[in-house]
Amino acid sequence: SQQGEEDPQALSIQEGENATMNCSYKTSINNLQWYRQNSGRGLVHLILIRSNEREKHSGRLRVTLDTSKKSSSLLITASRAADTASYFCATNSGYSTLTFGKGTMLLVSP
Amino acid sequence: DARVTQTPRHKVTEMGQEVTMRCQPILGHNTVFWYRQTMMQGLELLAYFRNRAPLDDSGMPKDRFSAEMPDATLATLKIQPSEPRDSAVYFCASGFATEQFFGPGTRLTVL
């Protein structure tokens, strides 16, 4: 069953704009991760934020976590056409497994 | 460049046939996962192993699916008999609670 739910389901922007995707989850977590999936490929790990962290940066990625609201956001700044992909949040609740949301499809047009 | 590999990449079969999918996890990763991805259900965890022992296969239909790790370099997922509703992309991943590394997937079509 899905724990994370991404919002929006699809997002279309122009190159250079920022893209923001949100994720809500239901139960307490140890960490939350974001993954990217290019069409026809496997998922690739982007960034992890632990439950005691509020914000994390990696290159053009910025992730926030609000455990009181059980939500996270992924911001991609200065987007590029190569960022076109589906983005998934995944929650870890203390075991080895992750529970994935259904993803946000991001289209970045040149 | 260590990667998870999966074979076959594509499989088309007829209902009732046996399907076997194979995965080679990254050397040194002791936890291996099998997922199924469909448009309707998204990414679902079918089963996972640690040190080759099955820890959880509650996501799998037990009557037709089976997952094994004959050795540390090979994980298999079998469907027998296959049904049209099994059509999906099946991913293997290896790694840890902090990061999983996914293979390219096997796209299965059951006619």
Side-chain angles (χ1 to χ4, degrees):
Chain A
S1 61
Q2 260 70 39
Q3 150 119 284
E5 293 290 338
E6 289 90 343
D7 167 56
Q9 289 187 332
L11 180 60
S12 182
I13 60 174
Q14 300 288 317
E15 264 191 328
E17 295 179 340
N18 296 341
T20 300
M21 288 159 268
N22 302 297
C23 169
S24 60
Y25 58 92
K26 296 174 184 170
T27 63
S28 61
I29 61 171
N30 273 9
N31 65 69
L32 184 145
Q33 304 171 33
W34 286 90
Y35 286 77
R36 182 187 72 224
Q37 183 179 32
N38 290 89
S39 180
R41 303 284 185 92
L43 280 73
V44 175
H45 183 267
L46 293 176
I47 193 167
L48 175 149
I49 187 164
R50 300 185 190 281
S51 60
N52 61 353
E53 297 176 310
R54 291 297 168 258
E55 188 170 312
K56 204 156 183 188
H57 297 256
S58 176
R60 294 184 295 111
L61 304 181
R62 172 179 168 248
V63 171
T64 62
L65 180 64
D66 186 336
T67 53
S68 67
K69 294 181 180 177
K70 291 188 169 58
S71 67
S72 173
S73 67
L74 171 67
L75 169 67
I76 304 174
T77 60
S79 63
R80 306 166 181 167
D83 295 328
T84 294
S86 291
Y87 292 82
F88 296 85
C89 68
T91 53
N92 170 259
S93 299
Y95 302 97
S96 298
T97 59
L98 298 176
T99 304
F100 286 85
K102 289 195 175 182
T104 292
M105 292 180 58
L106 174 65
L107 174 63
V108 182
S109 302
Chain B
D1 185 22
R3 298 184 184 193
V4 175
T5 59
Q6 290 185 247
T7 57
R9 293 293 312 277
H10 302 272
K11 177 73 175 178
V12 179
T13 191
E14 294 189 345
M15 183 173 62
Q17 296 297 306
E18 178 178 303
V19 175
T20 299
M21 291 169 269
R22 294 177 174 79
C23 166
Q24 182 172 7
I26 294 174
L27 195 63
H29 287 185
N30 66 353
T31 308
V32 178
F33 308 85
W34 281 106
Y35 291 93
R36 176 172 62 186
Q37 186 177 38
T38 61
M39 288 296 294
M40 291 298 295
Q41 299 298 326
L43 202 63
E44 303 173 283
L45 177 66
L46 297 176
Y48 78 104
F49 296 77
R50 179 171 299 132
N51 296 324
R52 296 175 54 200
L55 288 191
D56 185 358
D57 61 2
S58 59
M60 286 197 322
K62 300 288 191 307
D63 56 337
R64 298 184 300 108
F65 285 58
S66 62
E68 294 179 348
M69 276 201 77
D71 61 60
T73 65
L74 177 64
T76 62
L77 179 67
K78 290 186 181 180
I79 308 174
Q80 168 63 23
S82 57
E83 297 181 0
R85 59 180 167 151
D86 301 328
S87 297
V89 182
Y90 291 81
F91 288 102
C92 174
S94 67
F96 320 98
T98 53
E99 183 172 358
Q100 292 184 14
F101 298 79
F102 282 74
T106 295
R107 182 174 294 275
L108 174 65
T109 302
V110 183
L111 303 175

